[in-house]
């Protein structure tokens, strides 16, 4: 066991990026993720890296485009309104197949919204927030330790698939302090970046682009991207199941909410209600299979989110009508409590099971 | 026999898609000549714009990015920070650089990014069919200023070279023109100087090229070059606006 340090989620994400070999960060300040750029502004120079506070989130994401295209391990981070500004760039990055990591520490919206935790950017993250039909891999940590572990995975996955990867956290995870361990991990063997910009010396020149004016060519390009997304769906789905073996009712939640749900499940079990949790860790690709299987065993699933219902659409796709899908959500920076979740489950049990 | 004229080696041997009389092809050629003369093709990286010159990568044989509209200086920044030894240029039109991309160009210049910017000012949006640009001159008719640009309605043409020259971060800023052979020779001199400044690591350099757009302006090629001389140059004076500290600007 390595040493544990007490650290906020935002700083842990920064340090995890350094440990994962990230040497470039471009970003623009926005609450509640400011500790990530602040941390990296002094850590990156210590390891020979580069930190730039860009003039906007738009510029930041295109600096990421430039560095990723040049073969760098590179990331940006922001929170909801800033992530909206980055959408054009993310679409270009996906189109040009560049690997990078984007952290979204979600806050309440729409518009300027608020600065407290939220999960209202799920649609934007998982369904292609920018134009043109593309996908990121989207990893949703529920603890500070998991944020650290997923950051390393995020960079590896980005390189493996030549695709942008989003770490979808929320203000709770970003600002909470927890003891974490930065585990030493074996280096993954990843494809060499022979496509990257480095000067056309002793090779034909490289070209980074997303423009294909010939529709046949563009269709081929899009089919290639599509095959990549299918490959991700086959290989990269991650999901945690908690006390589902004997469960009679299931809670579906991700990120911070899943953590609260676990406490609710313990309380429910003390009261004799066998509840369990399905927690997607990858929200894209989504664990549809897990929900398909679980809906053969239980009749009721409660989706809990810090939004008014976004992930519920994917849960329903997985369940495919085989179980009843209920919803409970808080929004605008309000966080559901375990008491509220317990009450919701008790209500369902009373109405549905009685 | 002595060869006195040939295609620059950094240019692919293909015809361009530009309209007859357009200035883009001339500036591409100057760029390729400068790359050849410095012998740096294998170290050069280009970032193309969105605009008529979006296909610049079909003509210049070096590693290249195709940028989103206006964002080339940010992409160049990311690349140059990763590879400080490469020679990075952006190539941008006036809609690209002086409208949608104003933030990116100002801040790249202000950070003193060691890159070279080729800025083609043709006073119009060529690619999308001749709409008003931020550089459209007063009185000029375009498809979106059909009565002629009025300062009351549409504001004034932006003088990018003068504006960027006020930034301490910029090292070399010049405006040239490509409407006649004499101007083209001067334009090449400025471009070469801009690249030299980057090669020597002295910082941000930008050359603004006034360029004719006969199609967008609804003129013959000859009328267009005359229009540059008579209308554009009085609005956008030629010369060096910022030079390295040790030098005096050429007026
Ligand atoms: C975000 C975005 N907005 C608008 C466009 C459409 N568009 C393509 S080229 C162009 C204008 C280019 O004009 P300019 O930069 O002056 O270059 P020119 O074509 O005259 O060389 C516009 C508005 C786009 N591609 N992307």
């Amino acid at each position: 066991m390595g040493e544990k340090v007490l650290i906020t989620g935002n700083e842990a994400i920064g340090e995890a990026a350094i440990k994962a070999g990230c040497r470039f960060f471009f970003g623009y300040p926005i609450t509640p993720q400011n500790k990530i750029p602040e941390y990296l502004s002094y850590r990156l120079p210590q390891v020979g890296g580069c930190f730039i506070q860009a003039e906007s989130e738009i510029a930041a994401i295109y600096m990421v485009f430039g560095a990723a295209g040049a073969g760098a391990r590179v990331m940006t981070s922001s929170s909801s309104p800033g992530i909206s500004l980055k959408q054009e760039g993310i679409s270009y990055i996906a189109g040009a197949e560049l690997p990078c990591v984007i952290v979204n520490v979600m806050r309440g919206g729409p518009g300027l919204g608020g600065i407290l935790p939220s999960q209202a950017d799920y649609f934007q993250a998982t369904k292609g927030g920018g134009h043109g039909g593309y996908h990121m891999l989207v990893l949703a940590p529920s603890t500070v330790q998991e944020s650290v572990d997923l950051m390393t995975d995020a960079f590896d996955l980005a390189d493996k698939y030549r695709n942008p990867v989003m770490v979808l956290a929320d203000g709770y995870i970003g600002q909470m302090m927890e003891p974490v361990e930065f585990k030493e991990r074996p280096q993954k063997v990843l494809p060499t970046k022979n496509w990257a910009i480095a000067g056309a010396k002793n090779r034909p020149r490289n070209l980074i682009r997303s423009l294909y004016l010939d529709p046949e060519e563009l269709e081929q390009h899009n089919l290639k991207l599509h095959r990549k997304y299918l490959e991700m769906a086959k290989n990269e789905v991650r999901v945690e199941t908690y006390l589902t073996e004997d469960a009679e009712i299931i809670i579906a939640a991700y990120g911070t909410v899943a953590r609260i749900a676990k406490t609710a499940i313990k309380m429910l079990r003390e009261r004799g209600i066998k509840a369990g949790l399905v927690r997607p860790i990858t929200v894209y690709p989504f664990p549809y299979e897990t929900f398909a299987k679980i809906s053969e065993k239980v009749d009721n699933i409660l989706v809990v989110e810090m939004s008014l219902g976004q992930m519920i659409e994917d849960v329903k796709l997985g369940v495919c009508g085989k179980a009843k899908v209920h919803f409970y959500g808080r929004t605008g920076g309000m966080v559901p409590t375990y008491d509220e979740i317990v009450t919701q489950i008790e209500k369902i049990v009373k109405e549905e099971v009685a | 026999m002595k060869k006195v004229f040939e295609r620059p080696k950094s240019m692919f041997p293909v015809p361009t898609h530009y309209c007859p009389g357009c200035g883009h092809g001339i500036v591409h050629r100057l760029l390729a000549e400068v790359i050849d003369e410095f012998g740096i093709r294998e170290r050069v990286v280009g970032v193309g714009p969105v605009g008529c010159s979006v296909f610049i990568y079909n003509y210049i044989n070096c590693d290249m990015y195709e940028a989103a509209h206006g964002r080339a200086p940010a992409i160049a920044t990311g690349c140059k920070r990763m590879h400080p030894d490469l020679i990075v240029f952006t190539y941008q039109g006036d809609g690209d650089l002086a409208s949608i991309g104003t933030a990116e160009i100002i801040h790249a210049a202000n950070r003193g990014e060691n890159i070279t910017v080729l800025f083609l000012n043709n006073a119009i949006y060529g690619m999308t069919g001749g709409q008003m640009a931020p550089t459209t001159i007063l009185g000029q008719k375009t498809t979106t200023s059909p009565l002629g640009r009025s300062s009351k309605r549409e504001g004034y043409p932006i003088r990018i070279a003068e504006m960027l020259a006020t930034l301490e971060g910029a090292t070399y800023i010049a405006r040239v023109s490509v409407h006649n052979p004499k101007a083209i020779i001067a334009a090449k001199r400025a471009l070469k100087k801009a690249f030299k400044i980057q090669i020597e690591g002295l910082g941000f350099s930008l050359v603004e090229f006034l360029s004719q757009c006969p199609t967008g302006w609804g003129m013959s090629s000859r009328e267009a070059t005359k229009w540059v001389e008579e209308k554009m140059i009085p609005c956008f004076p030629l010369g060096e606006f910022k030079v390295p500290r040790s030098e005096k600007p050429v007026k």
Side-chain angles (χ1 to χ4, degrees), chain A residues 88, chain B residues 24 50-52 69 93-96 100 122 124-128:
Chain A
E88 181 205 39
Chain B
H24 275 303
V50 169
C52 285
H69 199 18
D94 44 24
D96 196 81
I100 197 168
N122 58 9
I124 207 155
Y125 282 22
M127 180 156 201
T128 39

Side-chain angles (χ1 to χ4, degrees), chain A residues 83-94:
Chain A
I83 296 289
S84 288
L85 269 184
K86 290 184 197 291
Q87 292 304 323
E88 181 205 39
I90 295 173
S91 169
Y92 275 75
I93 286 170

Side-chain angles (χ1 to χ4, degrees), chain A residues 78-141:
Chain A
S78 189
S79 178
S80 311
I83 296 289
S84 288
L85 269 184
K86 290 184 197 291
Q87 292 304 323
E88 181 205 39
I90 295 173
S91 169
Y92 275 75
I93 286 170
E97 296 193 84
L98 301 180
C100 68
V101 174
I102 301 147
V103 177
N104 182 3
V105 183
M106 287 182 281
R107 63 186 240 181
L112 200 48
I115 58 169
L116 293 175
S118 163
Q119 294 181 322
D121 302 348
Y122 180 94
F123 285 150
Q124 188 196 52
T126 60
K127 311 291 175 192
H131 63 282
Y134 66 90
H135 284 289
M136 296 183 283
L137 265 149
V138 187
L139 311 175

Side-chain angles (χ1 to χ4, degrees), chain A residues 8-15 17 25 30 32-44 51 75-79 102-105 151 167 169 174:
Chain A
T8 66
N10 283 331
E11 290 166 302
I13 284 170
E15 184 58 30
F25 179 95
I30 184 169
Q33 62 81 57
N34 289 322
K35 273 274 179 301
I36 300 176
E38 284 170 359
Y39 185 82
L40 288 171
S41 70
Y42 81 85
R43 271 297 274 143
L44 274 168
F51 169 91
M75 72 173 284
T76 184
S77 69
S78 189
S79 178
I102 301 147
V103 177
N104 182 3
V105 183
M151 278 305 283
V167 173

Side-chain angles (χ1 to χ4, degrees), chain A residues 268-339:
Chain A
L268 285 162
R269 284 190 173 250
E270 277 164 22
R271 296 179 196 186
I273 297 174
K274 285 186 189 153
L277 172 75
V278 176
R279 175 176 77 91
I281 299 170
T282 52
V283 285
Y284 188 91
F286 191 79
Y288 293 112
E289 283 280 301
T290 311
F291 283 100
K293 281 203 189 108
I294 212 98
S295 59
E296 303 197 332
K297 292 203 301 188
V298 302
D299 294 328
N300 291 283
I301 297 176
L302 174 68
V303 181
V304 188
E305 296 180 58
M306 286 193 283
S307 80
L308 293 178
Q310 300 193 12
M311 185 178 77
I312 185 174
E313 295 192 1
D314 281 323
V315 174
K316 281 184 173 168
L317 278 176
V319 166
C320 210
K322 281 180 287 177
K324 210 162 170 185
V325 180
H326 309 261
F327 183 75
Y328 181 68
R330 299 296 304 266
T331 168
M334 297 301 291
V335 181
T337 64
Y338 40 78
D339 284 330

Side-chain angles (χ1 to χ4, degrees), chain A residues 13 16 62 73 81 89-91 110 115 175 211 215 234 236 276 313:
Chain A
I13 284 170
Y62 285 104
R73 273 214 159 172
I90 295 173
S91 169
I115 58 169
Q175 295 184 303
L211 175 68
K234 205 171 82 193
E236 308 302 341
E313 295 192 1

Side-chain angles (χ1 to χ4, degrees), chain B residues 188-202:
Chain B
K188 182 171 167 188
R189 209 178 305 128
L191 186 61
K192 206 160 173 185
K193 195 161 166 183
F195 269 93
K196 186 157 178 277
I197 280 163
Q198 181 180 173
I199 291 166
E200 290 173 358
L202 297 181

